Amino acid sequence: MAGSAEKTFVSYEMRGDIALIGLTRPEKRNAISDAVIEEFALKVDRATAEAKAAVIFGEGLHFCAGLDLLEHSEKPLLESVLGSRRWHEVFARMERGRIPFIAALHGAVVGGGFELASSCQLRVADATTYFGLPEGQRGIFVGGGGSVRIERLIGTSRMTDMMLTGRVAKAEEMERWGGVNYVVEAGAALEKAIALAEVTATNSEFSNYAIMNALPRIRDMSSEDGLFVESAVSALASMTPEAQDRLRAFLEKRAGKVLAD
Ligand code: 1HE
C-alpha cells in the first residue's frame, strides 16, 4: 500500500549497552521465513557492532514456532539445503561472535526456535516455556544447527527421544537436561535476560570473546589439544591491558570479591 511502512519481522532497540532483538511476527507465532532470517541477520550484525551484549525475545504468546512450514513446503531441494546453510551462517555469528547473546524464552520454543535459542550463550525460560522438536512428525529434520548445538546441550539420547516421539519438555525439565540456564516465573524471562546481559557486559571484551570462541572449539578437540589451546588463550587474555587493570584492582582491594550472596 502506497505510503505505508513495510512490515518488519524483527525489532531492535538499544538499552544502555544492551541490544534487544525481538521476533515480531506473533500472528505466525514468530515462525522463521527467509525474510525473517535476513532481517534477523542484519540485527545480529548491528548488535555485534554497537552493543556489549544482546537479548533475543519473541513477541506474543510464544517465543518461536520454528521454520516457516508454509514457505518450506514450497521450496525445491537445493533451496532447502541452501536455506539451512544460511541459518548456520547467521547463528554462527551469534555463537562464535564477539558479544554474548541471551535468549529470553516463553511459550513454545519449537524446532528452529530451539535451534535459535541454542545458538545463544545463555537461555532464560519462564514458567510457561516448553520445548519441542516435531521434525519427525513433520517429515523433516533439524536444519538450523540443532544436531550439533541442541545435541551438545541435552545429549543425543534426549534429543533422539524428542525427535522420534515428539516428547515435549517443560522449562524445569529442560533445565535439568542442561538446555536452559535459568528458570523464572511467568513473564519474567526478558527482565532476567537483560540483567544477565548487563552482567556479561561488564566483563573484559577479550574474556567474553575467549569464552565464546575457545570453549566450543576446545570441546571439539582432543584433551591434549584442548589443554594446549587453553594455555595459549589464557596467556593472551592475561596480556591485555584490561586484565592487568582488573588484576591490580583486585590486589589493591578495589574489586569485588566472589561471594555466595
Ligand atoms: C505457522 C507455524 C510455522 C504457526 N510455520 N506457520 N514447527 C512446528 O512444527 C510448530 C508448528 N506450530 C505449532 O505447533 C503451533 O502453531 C504453536 C504450538 C507454535 C502455537 O499454537 P497456537 O494455537 O498458539 O497457534 P496456531 O493457531 O497453531 O498458529 C497461528 C498461525 O501461525 C496459524 O496461521 P493462520 O494463517 O491459520 O492464522 C499457523 O499456521 C501459523 N504458524 N507455526 C508457518 N512453524 C531450519 S530447520 C527447523 C525445522 C523446524 O523448525 S520443524 C518445527 C516446525
Side-chain angles (χ1 to χ4, degrees):
M1 207 163 48
S4 71
E6 204 181 316
K7 166 92 179 110
T8 62
F9 299 121
V10 186
S11 66
Y12 185 92
E13 180 195 334
M14 281 297 289
R15 196 172 294 181
D17 288 331
I18 312 302
L20 304 184
I21 300 176
L23 303 173
T24 58
R25 200 190 181 200
E27 68 285 0
K28 295 291 180 189
R29 306 310 183 247
N30 297 322
I32 303 176
S33 62
D34 289 349
V36 172
I37 201 78
E38 292 313 320
E39 233 191 280
F40 183 75
L42 292 174
K43 307 289 161 57
V44 166
D45 287 349
R46 186 170 164 197
T48 301
E50 69 181 4
K52 290 194 172 164
V55 170
I56 313 282
F57 66 98
E59 279 191 2
L61 293 172
H62 302 283
F63 173 71
C64 177
L67 180 68
D68 186 315
L69 295 172
L70 176 60
E71 187 179 76
H72 186 71
S73 68
E74 292 161 356
K75 276 193 177 174
L77 174 60
L78 182 58
E79 291 311 308
S80 164
V81 173
L82 294 176
S84 163
R85 296 300 293 155
R86 180 66 180 146
W87 283 41
H88 291 164
E89 222 179 298
V90 175
F91 291 174
R93 293 188 208 169
M94 301 161 66
E95 190 199 28
R96 299 183 188 191
R98 62 176 288 173
I99 61 165
F101 284 81
I102 300 173
L105 306 173
H106 74 289
V109 180
V110 171
F114 194 5
E115 295 181 299
L116 165 59
S118 71
S119 309
C120 294
Q121 279 68 36
L122 297 174
R123 282 152 296 283
V124 180
D126 85 359
T128 70
T129 310
Y130 64 94
F131 298 81
L133 292 171
E135 281 81 355
Q137 292 147 272
R138 305 278 181 251
I140 56 176
F141 191 68
V142 282
S147 61
V148 173
R149 297 195 185 97
I150 297 174
E151 188 279 333
R152 280 172 189 195
L153 289 174
I154 69 175
T156 311
S157 173
R158 291 183 183 118
M159 186 170 178
T160 303
D161 186 10
M162 290 181 78
M163 288 184 73
L164 277 181
T165 69
R167 179 172 178 175
V168 164
K170 293 189 180 163
E172 300 222 330
E173 190 168 34
M174 188 51 77
E175 185 191 28
R176 285 199 298 279
W177 290 1
V180 155
N181 302 89
Y182 299 85
V183 178
V184 295
E185 64 189 39
L190 183 57
E191 190 190 343
K192 177 70 176 174
I194 292 171
L196 291 168
E198 283 168 347
V199 171
T200 68
T202 65
N203 293 339
S204 127
E205 278 186 71
F206 188 93
S207 290
N208 279 350
Y209 180 78
I211 292 163
M212 293 168 56
N213 283 276
L215 284 182
R217 285 185 172 84
I218 290 172
R219 164 74 170 69
D220 288 340
M221 294 175 192
S222 67
S223 300
E224 262 315 307
D225 291 344
L227 292 173
F228 185 78
V229 170
E230 178 188 275
S231 296
V233 173
S234 171
L236 283 174
S238 304
M239 283 169 62
T240 59
E242 240 182 318
Q244 301 294 324
D245 290 348
R246 285 165 184 252
L247 295 174
R248 200 172 314 111
F250 177 75
L251 295 172
E252 292 170 1
K253 308 207 180 300
R254 290 184 284 111
K257 296 185 186 185
V258 179
L259 300 170
D261 282 309

